[in-house]
Amino acid sequence: MTTGGLHIEIRGTVQGVGYRPWVFQLAQRAGIRGVVRNDSAGVSIDAFGTADALDQFVAALRGGTPPAARVQSFHSAVIPFVEHSAFAITDSVASAERHVSIPSDLATCDDCVRELLDPTDRRFRYPFINCTNCGPRYSIVRDAPYDRPKTSMAPFRMCARCLAEYESPSDRRFHAQPNACPDCGPRLTAMGSRHERIVTPDAIRFAARTIRAGMTVALKGLGGFQLACDATSSQAVQRLRDRKQREHKPLAVMVRDLAMAEELVELSETERELLMSIERPIVLARSREGSPLAQEVCGAGIVITGVFLPYTPLHHLLLRDVAIPLVMTSGNLADEPMITTNPEALEQLRNVADVFLLHDREIVTRVDDSIATIIDGAPALLRRARGYVPRSIETSITGSRTFSEPILACGAHLKNTFCIASGSSAFLGPHIGDLESVETLRAYESAIERMKSFIGVSPRVLVHDLHPDYFSTRYALAQQGVRTIGVQHHHAHIASAMAEDRIEGPVIGIAYDGTGFGTDGTAWGGEILIADFEDYERFATFRPIPLAGGDQAIRQPWRIALALLDDTYAGDSPLASLPLFREISLLMITQVRLMIDRNLNTTPARGVGRWFDAFGAIILGLAEAHYEGEVAFRWNMVADENERGRYPVVIHDGIQPWQIDPRPMVKAAVTDLLAGRSAATISARFHNTLAAATAEVARAALISRGRMPVVLSGGCFQNRRLAESIIDTLRPSVRVVMNRNVPAGDGGIALGQAFIADARLRAETSVSVDEEELVCA
């Protein structure tokens, strides 16, 4: 019988997810001999057998994967037959070429949960139980390839029983790198806020009793410390807010199971699936009337709640023991990165937490919880972190496209993530947050170095935003011996969504957000572009609103409201009739008007987010924003879902770019307010008007420039009503796409920066080749 051999290379998320054991079992069934190993680029297989056996083996490999694996490429080549006595999993090998195959951290699987809760199982109530299908991965790994010696599990030597599982091809823990048990693995310790060790037979049950008594527990989670308290107790939640210095921003709630989630929020089938997905993100869903949650969890007027399910064994045990929903928020003080080490937690959180649940497994890489919602019937990530990072985003649009050279895209200033593009993949780093504290800046630089190490590249091309004061911009420009490329903020937004959907362009790109550095001396954010990766044309924008005091106006949106009203009413604003201005002194109003008249520290801003701020301030009477985006968020929350009315706007099409002028909408909305019309109705009409005006301009662009996809991106499209209204107005005659797997806000902008830089590098190369050919001719 004819025998032969195949060398197979598989790239994607195939390390740490039970892929090699799965390949081993397929080989056993097909009668294949040879080896499978991890390498720095993924998994490689040398398979030997009869032609029929090899065909059966390849078909099985192509036909499925283990639950958490993601195969992105599969290549095979014939090799000479080599005699092997069996099929084996061999040691991993490093190589010069790297393609990150380190998996994301995986939520505890159903099999491990059953063992965790089984009194007869040797891992009963062991908070670090895991197998090849679940457990810590990215948060514990130091380097590629993903093997135990290169993780923070290296100090824990497996006992004989764990080692037997690890070495048995038939066992669920076959080559599970974090495999451990109570005899040989990490251990949990309870401590008090004065660093005293608490002697208790069960630290988790003690923590549950602490929470039920109204106190706060700091627990060392998967990617950092978390703070937990009783989500049904107003006193407990307010106490946590006061101590953490997070006075207003909504808090996420962890629930024991779907049944408990249904008591708090209304869930569609898509939202249930998202909650139960292996990534286990926080899911934003509509709050259920009569929910037992304390109002202090989300705040008055907020009609959605962020809920998520346990994703570690520790969470499963704690939620079962406490039997109530828990506020589960990051273990840090305001504006600081999440704490990852025991000493830092005991020091920095001593005035926040009453009890600490610590363990001795090091967190190597900080990873926040991911946040997602459902828009237009499908999931959309608002924060891409645990469960998704460092999963790559494939860049092949046509053929076998690869990046021309490694690129580091440094991202934005707020909600920062960076991106390293190499080969055929783009790797978004973990959510860093706002680059506004020394500790966050250190976390940013450290995360970049770690990702460079994982991928094995040192990019010589760095991409940055045009804003000169962004730390990410200053970081790029401070690096030595590299080329830097500046990219316009909103072009990068559109490119990020194009990259996700593998669209080369041109597209009509609608980029709506709060603020982005423009090239005309104004702050952009209401942009309708004709764009491809290399360049863009500004087709339309919004009438600018003066921001008196710059960022101070964003924190005090009454300033934006005043500027808008004065512009609309030509200086004869009805301020005395508006509740917003009853608490604002005449002196402050006069000073702001003077700043605008004399153009002192005043920037014209075109961002749609600023229109949200202005209307939210005027109609809801919100003079100040306590966190970024608060007023716009509240303005969105209050909208009546059933209202279909609209206000007038003017679209000036005789200038370039076209200008959307919503001042008639301002007058109509103020008239409604003074007539006693509800804020819910006015907000709904505001949303409907923006969507209709946007769709009208987009259709005009299609008529003018020809048929092309419409792409939505920017933070305003995390607003479900606005996004869905525009999509519904344009479809089915137009293809409309938006960000899904990377955030539409600034957390996804680095992906677009990388694609734009690559397109410009390619264009330069093409020009150089053309010039050389011309010289030769």
Side-chain angles (χ1 to χ4, degrees), residues 565-622:
L565 289 166
D566 282 353
D567 187 35
T568 299
Y569 289 92
D572 190 22
S573 306
L575 301 189
S577 303
L578 299 174
L580 170 65
F581 292 97
R582 291 173 189 164
E583 302 301 321
I584 309 298
S585 71
L586 180 59
L587 176 62
M588 291 295 296
I589 291 172
T590 302
Q591 287 176 342
V592 168
R593 281 175 164 163
L594 188 63
M595 291 173 70
I596 294 171
D597 289 343
R598 297 184 179 179
N599 198 28
L600 299 173
N601 192 22
T602 297
T603 303
R606 302 179 183 276
V608 170
R610 302 289 79 89
W611 287 87
F612 271 85
D613 287 343
F615 270 75
I618 294 167
I619 308 301
L620 300 180
L622 299 174

Side-chain angles (χ1 to χ4, degrees), residues 275-315:
L275 268 175
M276 291 293 294
S277 67
I278 198 165
E279 293 86 2
R280 289 292 197 278
I282 297 169
V283 176
L284 303 186
R286 176 163 290 277
S287 305
R288 185 175 293 280
E289 190 173 345
S291 161
L293 290 181
Q295 180 176 284
E296 289 78 4
V297 171
C298 297
I302 304 301
V303 297
I304 61 173
T305 302
V307 295
F308 60 139
L309 296 174
Y311 54 85
T312 70
L314 174 55
H315 290 138

